[in-house]
Amino acid sequence: MTSVQVPLGERSYDIVIETGALDRAGERLAPFAPRGRLVVITDEHVADTQLQRLTASLEKADIAAHTIVLAPGEGTKSWEQLALLTDELLSLGTERGDHIVALGGGVIGDLVGFAAAILKRGCNFIQIPTTLLAQVDSSVGGKTAINSAAGKNLVGAFHQPSLVLIDPTVLDTLPPREMRAGYAEVVKYGLIDDADFFAWLEDHGEAVLAGNRDAQIHAIETSVAAKARIVGEDETERTGRRALLNLGHTFGHALEAETGFSDRLLHGEAVAAGMALAFAYSARRRLCPGEDAARVADHLRRSGLPVSLSDAGISAGGETLAAHMRHDKKMEGGTLPFLLTRGIGQTFLARDVDLADIAVFLDSA
């Protein structure tokens, strides 16, 4: 068992990484269930593969579990589902001191976290992420949100969990495509500020994806430690430090918007293409060595991830994609900060990027 703390003063919490943690969750969650009950929220896919493991463990700890099972997919992060979920939580008599458990991937974690943030002006919640992407990224740091007609994650709140419980064994039932999508977020941590970790992934990424447990645990531990450190330095993106975690996301969200936030392009796949595009654009501006851009694209491609618009199934022109970016939640004063790079492990926030130039670049990408 490994524990990483997110350092936020009185609101600090632990990320516990333990093989088989789901089967022992009752012991770990008992202190968070003083009334002897928890509400567990998951989706249909996770309910089929992991829910029984959790509820059996809770029963052994004499914790009554009420389960709410939602439809899978990005469409669940909606106003309609948020309203239905909060109404059901209220009907169950959920109190501010109770803990709601999010058992699932990024969609469940984001929705449940936002519901907890607004229910009775703030309830507690626990993250038990079941995808690699959620384990290394979305379950940590307190970003919660739903999607709107204008774009992805535009309505939400910062609301930190009380605990993140990561069990690598749940990855054994994850489809290969979902594993690859999550792996993109692992690669991101190497590209931000840890060139040694990226080099390790070049040697061991195949093992991570193939299910080697030691490799998976090392990748997860390194990723969550990096995110915990950055979140502790800049919880709500006020200084710009946390913005580094958005590497690839500005390009990626535009690609997701073009595909209607559908399963045509998973979030991690969009981030992979976005990171490759960020490196290619940085190289085009002579900020980054072309060799580094090629190295990043090669590793992502060999990992089965898209690195170009055509790989991602995008046929739209640069102007169309740049128009999606104008709805990005990071827009300030009509300008959009971009995460660019001076090389592997040297990501920085650029505030001088012209969207018209981005459109021209995308037309040639």
Side-chain angles (χ1 to χ4, degrees), residues 309 316-319 358-365:
L309 297 185
E319 284 289 345
I358 291 288
V360 171
F361 163 72
L362 288 172
D363 280 333
S364 64

Side-chain angles (χ1 to χ4, degrees), residues 85-109:
L85 178 57
T86 51
D87 283 345
E88 184 160 1
L89 289 169
L90 291 170
S91 72
L92 292 170
T94 304
E95 298 180 358
R96 293 181 70 178
D98 290 336
H99 280 79
I100 306 165
V101 179
L103 175 69
V107 168
I108 290 295

Side-chain angles (χ1 to χ4, degrees), residues 41-48 68-73 76 103-105 107-108:
I41 303 166
T42 189
D43 69 30
E44 293 166 0
H45 290 164
V46 178
D48 288 341
I68 300 174
V69 180
L70 305 177
T76 297
L103 175 69
V107 168
I108 290 295

